[in-house]
Amino acid sequence: MQEIEIEAKALLNETDYKKLVEAFPNAKSYYQTNHYIESPDRSLKKRGLSLRIREKEGYGFELTLKKELAEGRLEMNIPLSEYDFKDFAKRGVFPNTKIKMVLANEGVDIDSLRIIASLTTKRIDVPYEGGLLSIDMNEYNGVTDYEVELEYKSQEVADSLLEGLLNKHGITYKKNVVSKTRRALDTLKK
């Protein structure tokens, strides 16, 4: 499945994260782990691509390829079996999917791709003003950070709604343009 993902994001400190969690007391949390994939020469990053396998509590595995666009990201998601995940994680056998064909067409050396970082998120999802609000605590490579995201149909409206929500709770809106993928990969030794 392909879709365009448009979201406003802001990094939070722990105090502001707790304020937002308390603002939605009936929301349930769940865990997901993103396993980020790249080649040693960062060939995906050079092409404006990012690739992950998401392991979501109660839902299994999903392979996702993202490509930066002028507004948002083109996102391709494909369900993955646990066998395919483990085969790739342990032996480097990339799943035979449409994403594999797209990567090959982009000139990516499929055999060089490996899981190089993992990020675990405790997430709360809340429907909000016609969009989806996600309040996250992320842990990766010895780092813990906090983030709020609002997915919406328009970047301008998403930014405005998120800024309004944060201001309502006494939180200064500092737009975050650094993805979880980039934050996790940036903590790796060069």
Side-chain angles (χ1 to χ4, degrees):
M1 174 176 83
Q2 280 192 12
E3 60 186 50
I4 295 179
E5 177 186 65
I6 298 172
E7 62 187 8
K9 302 187 301 180
L11 285 173
L12 304 169
N13 62 38
E14 185 176 6
T15 301
D16 291 341
Y17 165 79
K18 288 178 180 177
K19 280 184 198 176
L20 282 183
V21 169
E22 290 169 5
F24 300 97
N26 297 323
K28 301 283 187 230
S29 65
Y30 62 91
Y31 287 89
Q32 63 186 29
T33 299
N34 291 337
H35 303 280
Y36 298 113
I37 300 166
E38 183 55 278
S39 65
D41 66 353
R42 302 293 194 253
S43 65
L44 296 176
K45 180 181 178 182
K46 291 173 187 172
R47 290 170 171 82
L49 304 171
S50 65
L51 189 60
R52 73 165 185 236
I53 296 173
R54 175 172 283 169
E55 184 178 352
K56 188 173 176 182
E57 184 177 52
Y59 290 94
F61 299 87
E62 183 177 63
L63 178 64
T64 300
L65 175 66
K66 293 185 181 187
K67 182 173 182 119
E68 294 297 325
L69 301 174
E71 181 174 80
R73 288 178 295 283
L74 180 63
E75 187 174 291
M76 181 183 295
N77 298 297
I78 296 177
L80 212 60
S81 70
E82 184 175 359
Y83 173 83
D84 284 339
F85 168 72
K86 287 181 177 178
D87 204 28
F88 179 66
K90 292 179 181 173
R91 299 188 319 122
V93 177
F94 197 85
N96 192 17
T97 63
K98 184 176 180 181
I99 289 176
K100 183 176 183 177
M101 291 186 303
V102 170
L103 292 171
N105 288 338
E106 290 274 347
V108 174
D109 176 9
I110 306 296
D111 293 334
S112 71
L113 297 175
R114 297 290 181 268
I115 295 172
I116 62 170
S118 294
L119 178 148
T120 298
T121 299
K122 179 181 180 185
R123 172 167 278 184
I124 296 170
D125 284 331
V126 180
Y128 186 77
E129 300 291 335
L132 180 65
L133 183 72
S134 297
I135 306 166
D136 296 342
M137 178 176 69
N138 306 299
E139 296 180 336
Y140 53 97
N141 301 326
V143 173
T144 300
D145 70 23
Y146 307 89
E147 181 176 37
V148 60
E149 303 174 347
L150 179 62
E151 286 190 32
Y152 207 77
K153 300 172 282 252
S154 146
Q155 189 66 57
E156 185 178 331
V157 176
D159 288 333
S160 176
L161 286 171
L162 185 57
E163 183 174 16
L165 172 69
L166 295 179
N167 287 339
K168 178 181 170 183
H169 293 284
I171 302 168
T172 303
Y173 178 51
K174 296 177 208 149
K175 188 174 182 176
N176 173 32
V177 294
V178 181
S179 69
K180 286 179 177 72
T181 305
R182 193 61 39 227
R183 294 196 315 267
L185 297 182
D186 285 350
T187 62
L188 299 175
K189 299 204 187 306
K190 307 283 183 211

